[in-house]
Amino acid sequence: MSSYLRGLLVLSLGGCGSVAGGSGSVDAAIDGTSSVDAAPDAAIDAPVVTPRCDVTRSFGAPTVVAGINGTLKDIQAVQADDLTLYLSTDRGGTTDIYRSTRASATAIWQTPTAVAPFATTALETSPYLTADGLTMLYAYAPVGTVNADIYLATRASTSVAFAAGTAVTAVNSTDDDGDVTVTADGGILFFASSRAGTGGYDLYQSIRGSSGYGAPTLVTAINTNVYDAHPRITGDGLRMYYSSMRTDGGALAGTDIWTASRASLAAPFGAPMRVAELSTASNESPTWISSDGCVMLLQTNRAGGMGDQDIWQAIKPL
């Protein structure tokens, strides 16, 4: 992966409650006795899920994520769940994938440690973990090569290490491919690539079929003739966040965070809008968005961090 793309990927607290109820009906038996039908009323018994944010509101001011950042480059963080986070970092001498854990959703993240087999002398970056924790998609470039390919690694359970990754050949090219993000059901894979498109880097998508992911196509509604990368999709596949160097929409210097939405998976994305509250004259790129769209992790070199680039967090309020 080029140094430029490498420089520039929680489900958190939620509440639900349920009220169990029943509708009583008297059964007039032949012998004159009666019985009460205690079958629950489905409408009353259904769980009530309390949203943890108002997705129509702006994100709050980003804050540094404590515990995981160092003095070198820390980028592309993704949360597997409330207690496990993966990120790319240069702290070991090469860009590798590290993991951090914590005891609860409100605790500080622990110092990240290298994850086998994603910490070698080669380049391993751009991690994305599926919801069940059993599949890792990432970008890999062997020692001595410039461009990365998208790889996939699996494991039998979350208590064991991942097996060695294999290339997702259907989506890779001879150019630089990475920045993977996938819808919650795994049906659509988005990524960034430097292959011939409309700009230096563009966003592509690949649809999963019965034999795996298919040939990628440009996300034409989003791409421009400049740098467009770091796609992050909400779980339902209806809202995309990404980074761009486009100059419209009040863009500032470097990369800003943009977003676009669509009405259905079959519809194209609408006109992108710059996420003003997350963008500054420094470089900002999204690295992870929670499935409900309430929490974003982003990487930035803005003032207030610890090193080259750091991981920050922004939350939408209720």
Side-chain angles (χ1 to χ4, degrees):
M1 180 174 286
S2 70
S3 61
Y4 187 75
L5 181 58
R6 281 180 274 150
L8 289 182
L9 180 72
V10 266
L11 292 178
S12 192
L13 292 175
C16 64
S18 62
V19 179
S23 60
S25 63
V26 178
D27 216 356
I30 296 176
D31 61 1
T33 61
S34 62
S35 63
V36 177
D37 179 0
D41 186 318
I44 297 175
D45 197 55
V48 177
V49 178
T50 303
R52 57 175 171 162
C53 80
D54 180 349
V55 294
T56 66
R57 299 183 66 178
S58 298
F59 285 98
T63 57
V64 176
V65 178
I68 64 171
N69 292 301
T71 57
L72 298 177
K73 182 173 60 183
D74 298 294
I75 58 175
Q76 298 173 326
V78 295
Q79 282 192 219
D81 52 39
D82 279 347
L83 308 181
T84 307
L85 176 148
Y86 293 84
L87 78 159
S88 303
T89 179
D90 285 355
R91 67 188 66 193
T94 58
T95 303
D96 293 310
I97 295 173
Y98 279 52
R99 179 180 58 213
S100 176
T101 60
R102 59 183 177 181
S104 72
T106 57
I108 300 297
W109 292 103
Q110 299 298 301
T111 301
T113 56
V115 181
F118 314 120
T120 69
T121 54
L123 178 144
E124 293 95 0
T125 187
S126 186
Y128 176 86
L129 192 71
T130 55
D132 60 9
L134 302 182
T135 301
M136 175 76 80
L137 288 149
Y138 62 104
Y140 173 78
V143 175
T145 61
V146 175
N147 295 324
D149 285 326
I150 294 171
Y151 271 58
L152 182 151
T154 61
R155 58 183 175 180
S157 74
T158 56
S159 62
V160 300
F162 284 94
T166 58
V168 185
T169 55
V171 303
N172 291 317
S173 69
T174 56
D175 294 291
D176 197 28
D177 304 305
D179 281 345
V180 187
T181 185
V182 183
T183 54
D185 64 357
I188 309 175
L189 182 151
F190 294 91
F191 65 102
S193 177
S194 65
R195 70 189 70 184
T198 57
Y201 279 87
D202 291 299
L203 305 188
Y204 287 78
Q205 70 172 17
S206 172
I207 308 298
R208 188 178 64 185
S210 58
S211 59
Y213 288 106
T217 58
L218 276 166
V219 185
T220 54
I222 291 178
N223 292 307
T224 64
N225 61 356
V226 297
Y227 181 96
D228 300 292
H230 300 97
R232 297 296 178 265
I233 193 75
T234 52
D236 58 11
L238 301 183
R239 179 167 291 278
M240 175 77 76
Y241 291 92
Y242 67 105
S243 65
S244 179
M245 296 185 73
R246 60 192 299 164
T247 57
D248 59 335
L252 302 171
T255 57
D256 289 332
I257 296 176
W258 291 72
T259 186
S261 63
R262 57 184 176 180
S264 71
L265 295 180
F269 286 99
M273 297 180 61
R274 177 174 164 270
V275 186
E277 69 271 21
L278 301 181
S279 301
T280 71
S282 299
N283 290 314
E284 284 90 16
S285 301
T287 73
W288 177 81
I289 183 73
S290 60
S291 61
D292 60 4
C294 290
V295 181
M296 178 182 286
L297 297 178
L298 60 145
Q299 63 193 46
T300 177
N301 61 352
R302 66 174 69 185
M306 295 181 61
D308 181 343
Q309 292 198 63
D310 293 298
I311 303 301
W312 294 54
Q313 177 178 267
I315 301 173
K316 289 191 173 187
L318 274 172

